[in-house]
Amino acid sequence: MIGTVSRAAQVLQAADRFIILTHRRPDGDTTGSAGALCLALRKAGKTAYVARNAGVTKRYAGLIEPYAPPEGYQPQCVVSVDCADIDMIPPEMQQYAAQVDLVIDHHRSNPGFGRENLVMGQRAACAEIVCAVIEEMGIALDRDIAEGIYVGASTDTGCFKFSNTTSNTHLVAAKCLEAGVDGGEINRALFETKSRARYEIERMLFSSMEFYHEGKIAVALITLEARQRTGADWDDLDAIAGIPRQIEGVEVGLTLTELENGDTKVSVRTTKEVDASAICTQVGGGGHLRAAGATLHCGAEETIQRLLEATERVYRGEA
């Protein structure tokens, strides 16, 4: 494991011809981190690209798609950002999965699947770590680099209001603002603008939500039928997992999304009383103390039962 930011910077400074990997169902942190790192490496005179991610949505496409590699590009150094484990690397990037030279991540559950690994679980966003590495390399933040970092920090902290937000998160955001980023406009676009499909999904969530453990556990299900009927895409579902936790008395919010292949995606959000990662690791997932996730190869009904059992074990102190 790489224990310091300086070591990660040394690895990047010594290499060239980079390809940067993002995770499945990419969010603002993985895309923002990848785009920022790619631009920083180019600014340092390196050849760098971000691998194409088939799952990227229009909300975050602009952060990575301009940096897609040309046909036939052969990288010499593979870097993954915000990938909690090797299974999070999408199928279209699997040719690189077994040869990741440097992992940069902030998930506590990361096993360290790279040749070298910089995993800082105390950071709210991978973008914070990327910012530190860029600075350690002596590369100044410009507006374009800072925009990716700001998006990553903002989205993984719910616009800086989740409990994972730290003083370092705010320091990184301040550096981005000083570099010329329009934080107000970014946050308005990411958190205040909602599609009609998003409103319809939220309405269905509130009307069908179920409660367990004396109201401390809330379960919300987004069915495949609901997604198809409303036309909701992954942009519309972005950050929706935080809704159940907003209800007074709820300590664990379990948001399930039915996938086209029959699997069920689970997002767990908790208050300070419960460890979200402890719940998800029991079902093959992982993540952070207050936000974690997993994908179960079964239907929603079985998934709900397994998640409730896992949550009860955490409450009993058995996990």
Side-chain angles (χ1 to χ4, degrees), residues 254 256 263-264 266 268 278-285 294-314:
L254 306 174
L256 288 67
D263 291 350
T264 306
V266 177
V268 179
I279 296 172
C280 288
T281 52
Q282 297 181 66
V283 292
T295 298
L296 280 70
H297 305 302
C298 57
E301 185 174 344
E302 181 179 342
T303 297
I304 291 172
Q305 186 60 39
R306 291 175 62 181
L307 262 294
L308 288 175
E309 291 172 355
T311 305
E312 290 292 348
R313 283 192 290 271
V314 171

Side-chain angles (χ1 to χ4, degrees), residues 37-101:
L37 182 59
C38 182
L39 286 172
L41 290 170
R42 291 184 177 188
K43 192 172 183 179
K46 310 281 188 179
T47 300
Y49 296 97
V50 179
R52 291 180 176 84
N53 192 319
V56 70
T57 58
K58 60 183 181 294
R59 177 171 299 197
Y60 302 119
L63 294 169
I64 60 171
E65 286 191 341
Y67 317 119
E71 193 70 31
Y73 176 69
Q74 295 296 320
Q76 295 174 354
C77 186
V78 180
V79 182
S80 73
V81 291
D82 199 39
C83 297
D85 58 60
I86 198 168
D87 292 335
M88 288 300 293
I89 296 176
E92 61 269 25
M93 303 179 200
Q94 282 302 307
Q95 68 267 35
Y96 307 118
Q99 58 185 55
V100 177
D101 296 289

Side-chain angles (χ1 to χ4, degrees), residues 10 18-19 23 55 82 93 115 120 128 161 184 190 195 205 221 239 244 248-249 254 259 263 287 292:
Q10 290 170 6
F18 294 90
I19 193 75
H23 61 63
D82 199 39
M93 303 179 200
R115 181 173 61 85
M120 301 176 69
E128 294 182 49
K161 66 177 182 289
L190 292 175
S195 67
L205 276 189
L221 173 61
E248 185 178 7
L254 306 174
L259 304 179
D263 291 350

Side-chain angles (χ1 to χ4, degrees), residues 80-145:
S80 73
V81 291
D82 199 39
C83 297
D85 58 60
I86 198 168
D87 292 335
M88 288 300 293
I89 296 176
E92 61 269 25
M93 303 179 200
Q94 282 302 307
Q95 68 267 35
Y96 307 118
Q99 58 185 55
V100 177
D101 296 289
L102 174 62
V103 168
I104 302 177
D105 188 34
H106 69 129
H107 294 89
R108 294 185 306 154
S109 58
N110 193 308
F113 59 90
R115 181 173 61 85
E116 301 198 66
N117 306 270
L118 175 57
V119 180
M120 301 176 69
Q122 75 274 28
R123 294 300 182 224
C126 184
E128 294 182 49
I129 309 170
V130 169
C131 181
V133 173
I134 290 172
E135 291 180 323
E136 184 68 21
M137 293 175 70
I139 303 168
L141 297 185
D142 57 31
R143 189 171 185 269
D144 291 334
I145 295 173

Side-chain angles (χ1 to χ4, degrees), residues 163-186:
S163 61
N164 63 335
T165 307
T166 67
S167 59
N168 187 75
T169 312
H170 287 296
L171 286 172
V172 168
K175 292 176 182 178
C176 293
L177 297 177
E178 290 173 356
V181 168
D182 187 342
E185 181 57 28
I186 288 175

